[in-house]
Amino acid sequence: MGEFVLLYRGGERPGSPADGQQVMQKWMTWMKALADKGHIIDRGQPLERSGKIVQAGGRTITDGPFAEAKDVIGGYTLIKANDVAQAAELAKGCPILERGGQVEVRPVMKLEM
Amino acid sequence: MENLDQLFRQESGRLVATLTRIFGLHNLALAEDVVQDAFGRAAEVWSYQGVPGNPAAWLMVTAKRRALDALRRERTARTFAPEVEHLVKSEWTAVATVDEAFSAKAIKDDVLRMMFTCCDPRLAEEMQVALILNILCGLSVGEIAAAYVSSEAAIEKRISRGKKFLADSKLLFDVAAPTDFAARLPSVLRALYLLFSEGYHGASPESVIRTELCREAMRLVAQVIEHPFGSTPAACALAALMCFDAARLPGRTDDGGALQDLARQDRSKWDHALIAQGTALLEQSAIGDEITAYHVEASIAAVHARAAAVGETDWREIVYLYDELLRIQPSPVVALNRAIAVAHAEGPERGLAEISAIPDISRLSGYPFHEAALGEFELRLGRHAAAREHFEAALANARNASEREFLHNRLRACLPQLTGAIRT
């Protein structure tokens, strides 16, 4: 059993309230299924599409990333699964995939081997 | 769980109207963007956190915040509503000004203000209605096109022209000025009448959209009547008409969704609470000496609503009312409906006579219910071949699936008698 962060990248934003309703419905259904099977540790949050980027030893703060960039992280969820393969399987149900987005599945570094 | 697009239709109009008061009419598009943004955020955040206990309140708070962001962002590039221009451009007063704009007391008139602004007599009536549907009722171009069985491109053009006109007019209508209010009210009532009629009689096969149009029209006319200047006899009469017609909506189609003949409608499905409401409004409208077409149409609808069965309808009263209506608003369709009432009161032969006496009857060509009425009278007189011809002519003019199905059924009623002895 391990913990995994799901990072949601890209994906077409809903165009209309009807579209928004459908997308919201799909997310809730998928997350509920994960929760029912005991996988959700933290449902997570959506993120504003842009902010600041701090670089170069802290000397540079620029605006970024840009909302138009294809793989901007839009949100995250923390789940538990047997291994990364299972975590990736679970991520297959994410609605962002039908909207041209992707899910990055990253194991949380364990303290012990 | 609340549907986001239902919420949009319920709440967005009010939010856009209020924001427009702060941003100024020339920034209507900005107000709409802010509201769209708030709903977009709702879709995202609620996906993670679930729908909040009070979705409308959540949306309003979000819209306020996004409005403040927009004000800051656009401060140097735009001017806002003249009355609050300096208030919203100052960090000290912006928040309080937006808060005040969203207070219950201030919000009350916003929808009315926007409604009256959209009903500018310089705009074509269909444009006024399209603007109301889009801005106040939250219907998309696609939804409006479906309701009117029109192309999306045509509706899109109509709405964007209308909005350009509004943006150029720069000032929201002042609903506090009694003379201006009274002068604009007929336009507003007419637009709401057209909106309701589209829902009640319209060509769209989507019955869900149609009922919603009726509901929206009723909701908006109720807001008019609530305003101290708005409860005029004409407005009350229109509201009464809507109540009586809406009360009878459930019986108008059968379980399969097919249009039902008046005689065959299931009157037990009629909404008696709405009928009572209509009756009260009709009484209210009788104050004063103003008789409008709305009064007469409402009275006709009242006579129908009072009858427990089609046989108990006071058709003579209806004929008398149609005489009144012809006086106020002469038209071949009104004359046709009068002829139908005469037929009910005095027999189909009289109905045929009345129809043939209609002046400029050629304007009815293409109107399916002209031929359908002739068909009904011939059918009642036992002249089945003639009846069949008329129904076939009516069918050729049918404008949608509902009408086609209805006329097919009437045609079928003519057929069995054609086998066996020939009767003409």
Side-chain angles (χ1 to χ4, degrees), chain B residues 41-343:
Chain B
R41 281 164 180 275
E44 280 206 69
V45 176
W46 299 357
S47 294
Y48 290 80
Q49 297 176 4
V51 178
N54 189 340
W58 192 99
L59 286 161
M60 185 168 90
V61 169
T62 306
K64 279 163 73 170
R65 290 203 190 124
R66 303 309 291 156
L68 283 163
D69 282 350
L71 286 168
R72 273 182 212 117
R73 199 178 59 234
E74 301 284 330
R75 178 182 313 180
T76 49
R78 296 186 193 234
T79 60
F80 298 111
E83 315 86 70
V84 295
E85 169 85 357
H86 60 287
L87 289 169
V88 298
K89 286 195 173 176
S90 157
E91 240 353 291
W92 300 114
T93 47
V95 175
T97 308
V98 172
D99 274 341
E100 208 279 322
F102 276 92
S103 69
K105 189 172 87 74
I107 273 190
K108 215 162 51 76
D109 278 348
D110 288 342
V111 168
L112 217 63
R113 207 173 272 118
M114 183 62 84
M115 208 192 310
F116 274 63
T117 305
C118 291
C119 292
D120 194 312
R122 289 169 291 176
L123 290 172
E125 282 174 348
E126 49 194 32
M127 204 179 267
Q128 296 174 22
V129 177
L131 286 172
I132 288 182
L133 282 174
N134 182 249
I135 301 174
L136 283 178
C137 304
L139 293 192
S140 68
V141 166
E143 287 165 335
I144 299 173
Y148 281 77
V149 193
S150 184
S151 74
E152 282 200 32
I155 301 287
E156 175 73 59
K157 207 167 165 188
R158 191 179 295 170
I159 289 180
S160 70
R161 281 191 183 155
K163 287 184 180 175
K164 167 126 202 341
F165 178 90
L166 292 182
D168 290 344
S169 355
K170 293 201 191 323
L171 282 179
L172 281 167
F173 190 86
D174 181 7
V175 293
T179 329
D180 293 346
F181 190 106
R184 184 61 65 94
L185 187 56
S187 268
V188 174
L189 295 182
R190 171 91 183 137
L192 296 180
Y193 173 82
L194 289 172
L195 176 52
F196 186 89
S197 297
E198 193 54 46
Y200 194 75
H201 298 289
S204 165
E206 271 296 325
S207 59
V208 173
I209 289 272
R210 289 168 61 180
T211 325
E212 193 157 333
L213 294 184
C214 289
R215 253 207 312 272
E216 287 300 305
M218 291 176 76
R219 186 171 67 90
L220 293 173
V221 89
Q223 303 226 354
V224 172
I225 292 182
E226 265 176 43
H227 190 281
F229 302 157
S231 55
T232 63
C236 292
L238 177 59
L241 171 60
M242 290 185 186
C243 284
F244 289 128
D245 278 352
R248 298 184 292 146
L249 262 176
R252 253 183 117 231
T253 52
D254 66 13
D255 293 321
L259 258 180
Q260 281 300 300
D261 188 59
L262 188 64
R264 273 158 275 272
Q265 287 177 16
D266 183 356
R267 301 192 176 209
S268 68
K269 292 188 184 161
W270 288 1
D271 184 334
H272 292 277
L274 270 176
I275 292 177
Q277 209 181 326
T279 308
L281 282 161
L282 192 55
E283 277 172 30
Q284 217 180 318
S285 77
I287 297 171
D289 47 12
E290 191 193 355
I291 297 270
T292 63
Y294 303 134
H295 283 90
V296 185
E297 288 193 48
S299 301
I300 292 171
V303 174
H304 281 298
R306 275 204 297 273
V310 70
E312 292 176 36
T313 312
D314 188 345
W315 288 106
R316 292 192 192 281
E317 173 75 15
I318 292 183
V319 172
Y320 167 73
L321 287 165
Y322 270 116
D323 286 339
E324 264 301 295
L325 193 54
L326 269 177
R327 212 178 40 81
I328 302 174
Q329 205 178 68
S331 88
V333 174
V334 173
L336 175 64
N337 289 333
R338 182 185 166 280
I340 294 173
V342 168

Side-chain angles (χ1 to χ4, degrees), chain B residues 367-398:
Chain B
Y367 184 55
F369 294 105
H370 172 208
E371 288 289 347
L374 291 169
E376 289 295 343
F377 299 158
E378 296 289 1
L379 186 58
R380 248 179 273 161
L381 288 166
R383 305 204 277 250
H384 295 98
R388 183 183 176 182
E389 262 178 55
H390 285 302
F391 282 122
E392 280 173 354
L395 203 50
N397 288 328

